[in-house]
Amino acid sequence: STQHYMFAVEAFVEMINSIKSDEYEFTIRETRTKDIINQVANMLSEIGILYLSDFNKDVIGKLLREKHLEFHPLFRAPLHVFLARTNPLATKKKLTMEDLKPYPFIQYEQGEDGSFYFAEEAVWPEYNPKQINVTDRATILNFIVGLNGYTVCTGIDNGDLNNEKIVTVPLDSDETMLVGWITNERAKLSKAAEDYLAKLKSVVASHGYKLID
């Protein structure tokens, strides 16, 4: 179970390709933050991928402890913005939230009990008259291009992202995202889960990010 990260899917593809088996069944769920935590707690998923920040770490950390889950840091990412290549801001070296004010802010919906602490975006505008909530990654990318919107992310992209249409620009912010994986402390990881984690680390490193041991 994972937040909407392209690198998590990329690693999943690599893991399955490495198996060389005629038969298999795996499940990957791109879903809301609270659902990730509950699915790992209830052993529906072996691994959950999410991030901690200075803002959410106390609330998320408390929830993980209550549910007997362990957080394993993977890498720390400075914040970036996904923009349409045609956006006037796309050529800038760095952006501020003030720069982004005229454009629609697109964020992942966190459900009826959603709160800022469960948001997938580590920062957001104090006030934005144009805001769109979505549930999947393909939609967010289409809205960035079609509606000239933006979202805040880790900055890792891959072939899933159409580089002819979308660019990634650093955000001028002291905030970072500590991305990691969670496991149930009462469960032992399967061989497939361990293989996936190895591929996950390899993919993150291949994008130029320093792994946290």
Side-chain angles (χ1 to χ4, degrees):
S1 297
T2 177
Q3 290 176 326
H4 298 79
Y5 296 133
M6 295 174 190
F7 60 84
V9 177
E10 188 179 348
F12 207 82
V13 170
E14 290 197 7
M15 182 268 291
I16 292 175
N17 281 336
S18 71
I19 287 170
K20 297 182 176 61
S21 172
D22 292 333
E23 292 186 27
Y24 55 72
E25 181 177 345
F26 297 107
T27 303
I28 182 167
R29 303 177 176 95
E30 286 188 308
T31 189
R32 300 179 297 202
T33 305
K34 207 169 217 182
D35 291 340
I36 294 167
I37 293 169
N38 288 334
Q39 285 163 7
V40 177
N42 295 328
M43 299 189 190
L44 294 172
S45 289
E46 290 187 80
I47 296 168
I49 301 172
L50 46 75
Y51 82 92
L52 298 181
S53 67
D54 287 342
F55 177 74
N56 74 9
K57 65 183 181 185
D58 290 340
V59 170
I60 300 282
K62 181 174 182 288
L63 191 56
L64 295 180
R65 287 191 297 274
E66 286 172 355
K67 293 181 177 287
H68 305 283
L69 303 177
E70 296 175 341
F71 178 83
H72 310 266
L74 186 60
F75 69 100
R76 188 175 290 280
L79 303 188
H80 288 73
V81 179
F82 275 176
L83 288 171
R85 194 171 283 280
T86 53
N87 190 301
L89 301 176
T91 56
K92 285 202 158 199
K93 296 287 186 214
K94 193 171 276 195
L95 293 172
T96 65
M97 293 305 287
E98 189 65 28
D99 294 330
L100 295 160
K101 235 177 187 174
Y103 302 97
F105 174 57
I106 310 170
Q107 66 177 6
Y108 287 110
E109 183 193 35
Q110 293 299 328
E112 290 178 12
D113 58 351
S115 89
F116 288 131
Y117 296 110
F118 297 118
E120 289 196 39
E121 302 76 26
V123 297
W124 48 87
E126 285 183 21
Y127 169 72
N128 195 319
K130 301 172 185 173
Q131 182 169 314
I132 303 166
N133 303 315
V134 304
T135 57
D136 75 87
R137 194 156 37 88
T139 303
I140 222 169
L141 297 177
N142 284 327
F143 282 179
I144 287 170
V145 175
L147 299 174
N148 217 11
Y150 73 94
T151 193
V152 178
C153 58
T154 62
I156 295 185
D157 59 32
N158 59 11
D160 189 331
L161 191 63
N162 189 336
N163 291 318
E164 293 176 4
K165 294 183 177 179
I166 293 177
V167 295
T168 311
V169 183
L171 184 67
D172 188 9
S173 171
D174 293 332
E175 188 62 83
T176 59
M177 298 169 74
L178 179 62
V179 181
W181 46 283
I182 59 171
T183 53
N184 193 312
E185 64 184 31
R186 294 174 287 195
K188 187 178 187 300
L189 288 180
S190 67
K191 173 71 167 59
E194 290 178 348
D195 288 346
Y196 175 71
L197 287 173
K199 295 297 183 190
L200 187 65
K201 292 173 183 177
S202 173
V203 164
V204 167
S206 75
H207 284 285
Y209 284 81
K210 186 176 185 296
L211 294 172
I212 297 172
D213 292 327

